[in-house]
Amino acid sequence: MQVKYHLRFSRAFVAKFTAAAVVFLLSFLIMPFYTNGDQSIYRKIYETLPDFGLTEGFLFYSRNLNSKEFVHFFLSWVASRFVDKDLFIAFSNAILAYVAMSLFLKWKASVTIAFLLILTNFYFLGLYFAAERLKFGFIFLALSMIYIDRIKRFYVFAVLSLFSHVQVLIV
């Protein structure tokens, strides 16, 4: 007996996956050239984090960035042990694009408009490259809005967004 499996992907899934893939590829190609400004500090910290345990690493991170946002630190601390910083950021950008696309589609936005916003909007470009810590705050903020009807998930993601970047408190 032969079983046939048919994969059906919804238009929404294809749009979310495509946006994430495009953002991942562009980020991965561009990030190696973005080394000055804040990135020089982020790169130094990322390369040094594997030398520290969790507590010492957080102290090192906090002193060098004047930041106490634990989520960005923890994700960087874990990722720095396994992957290059550019790959970590490209993957994070892909997650942001996927989650943002999911939120826009939940709000019944046009797939085309949502896709174009995620790829061309100045603020998204800022989150992809310059605002590294804020990116994680927005990922968790968007997840909290996606799961607003599931109260436990909403609160978990809302709290994670605050611990990712305090500026999310304004929202």
Side-chain angles (χ1 to χ4, degrees), residues 4-167:
K4 291 185 179 182
Y5 293 98
H6 295 282
L7 291 177
R8 274 186 49 155
F9 296 112
S10 69
R11 183 172 180 226
F13 174 78
V14 171
K16 292 185 278 189
F17 182 80
T18 303
V22 169
V23 167
F24 174 84
L25 289 172
L26 290 174
S27 299
F28 193 67
L29 292 172
I30 294 170
M31 277 307 290
F33 300 104
Y34 185 38
T35 58
N36 293 325
D38 289 347
Q39 279 303 310
S40 63
I41 298 166
Y42 282 125
R43 286 180 182 280
K44 179 186 125 196
I45 290 169
Y46 191 87
E47 292 166 3
T48 310
L49 279 177
D51 300 337
F52 296 105
L54 186 63
T55 305
E56 300 84 17
F58 187 63
L59 292 172
F60 171 76
Y61 171 93
S62 298
R63 277 193 303 264
N64 284 283
L65 283 181
N66 296 322
S67 167
K68 303 264 190 260
E69 285 100 3
F70 185 76
V71 173
H72 177 261
F73 156 74
F74 183 73
L75 294 172
S76 297
W77 181 77
V78 171
S80 69
R81 287 156 163 62
F82 302 105
V83 297
D84 177 69
K85 183 180 187 308
D86 295 332
L87 183 59
F88 170 61
I89 294 303
F91 185 69
S92 303
N93 287 344
I95 291 171
L96 174 61
Y98 189 92
V99 169
M101 197 71 178
S102 298
L103 182 61
F104 289 151
L105 295 180
K106 179 181 175 142
W107 288 343
K108 308 285 188 227
S110 158
V111 171
T112 305
I113 298 299
F115 190 81
L116 289 173
L117 274 174
I118 287 167
L119 293 181
T120 64
N121 183 273
F122 173 79
Y123 295 102
F124 273 102
L125 294 174
L127 289 172
Y128 296 145
F129 297 106
E132 189 169 312
R133 289 178 290 143
L134 188 57
K135 168 194 346 261
F136 293 98
F138 270 89
I139 288 171
F140 292 116
L141 179 64
L143 284 168
S144 72
M145 288 190 264
I146 289 169
Y147 291 107
I148 200 160
D149 52 339
R150 293 186 160 164
I151 202 73
K152 288 181 185 176
R153 288 184 187 180
F154 166 76
Y155 281 120
V156 167
F157 289 129
V159 168
L160 283 172
S161 73
L162 290 173
F163 284 116
S164 297
H165 203 288
V166 176
Q167 192 172 12

